Amino acid sequence: MTRAARRTFHSLRYRNYRLFFGGQIVSQTGSWMQRIALGWFILQLTHSAFDVGVMAFAQFAPYMLFGLFAGVLADRLDARRTVIGTQAAQLVSASALAWIALGGFAEPWMLYTIAFINGTVLVLDVPSRQQLTYRMVGRDDLPNAIALNSTLFNAARIFGPAVAGVVLGATLLVSAPAQ
């Protein structure tokens, strides 16, 4: 491995950060898949572009409402426990969405509520993850860890919707009536 490559992945030398980074690959990709799924689901239920816009508002309104306070709150809470709690909350939210979808009783208000809850959880999750990253790698390797986290997040923004599209396309193919 070249010297530049070693520096690029230098913060991955910390075991806890490696585990965290691997978990974030799954979590961030899944979060973006869920965002796409919620938008598609609302469109299938309502056939309304306006309602898709309301869904986007429900997902991102928590950032406007709580964004200024989340960092202060995250500083007062234990970062590790907060991240575990926010990840568990996202799991519960995804399970609720699956239950509603598979149960066949979804209503738009239910999906908007899930989107708003997800957004609220993420508002607290982001500063807590940043604080936790600092605790795992320290001051010297923090710039490298931030760069890796940013790369991961942006890759998930591309890969998550792409995977969601493939899953949605396969689902539509399987559920389409034979001609």
Side-chain angles (χ1 to χ4, degrees), residues 23-52:
Q24 287 303 298
I25 291 171
V26 174
S27 178
Q28 292 298 323
T29 301
S31 291
W32 281 98
M33 289 176 68
Q34 188 172 347
R35 284 185 182 112
I36 298 302
L38 281 165
W40 182 260
F41 201 3
I42 231 18
L43 183 63
Q44 294 294 20
L45 281 177
T46 66
H47 304 288
S48 165
F50 178 79
D51 288 333
V52 174

Side-chain angles (χ1 to χ4, degrees), residues 60-76:
F60 297 105
Y63 289 94
M64 283 187 322
L65 297 173
F66 310 123
L68 292 173
F69 310 106
V72 174
L73 183 59
D75 286 342
R76 297 185 191 314

Side-chain angles (χ1 to χ4, degrees), residues 89-164:
Q90 287 180 310
L91 175 65
V92 169
S93 165
S95 299
L97 177 59
W99 178 58
I100 289 167
L102 295 173
F105 56 87
E107 294 289 331
W109 70 267
M110 295 173 181
L111 302 180
Y112 297 142
T113 301
I114 288 173
F116 187 83
I117 289 169
N118 280 346
T120 303
V121 167
L122 285 175
V123 166
L124 187 58
D125 182 67
V126 171
S128 298
R129 271 189 290 123
Q130 291 170 345
Q131 187 185 117
L132 187 60
T133 299
Y134 174 76
R135 286 178 40 191
M136 286 186 285
V137 301
R139 180 178 296 251
D140 292 340
D141 291 324
L142 185 61
N144 178 253
I146 290 171
L148 288 175
N149 287 347
S150 295
T151 301
L152 170 85
F153 182 78
N154 288 315
R157 287 172 57 172
I158 297 167
F159 190 63
V163 172

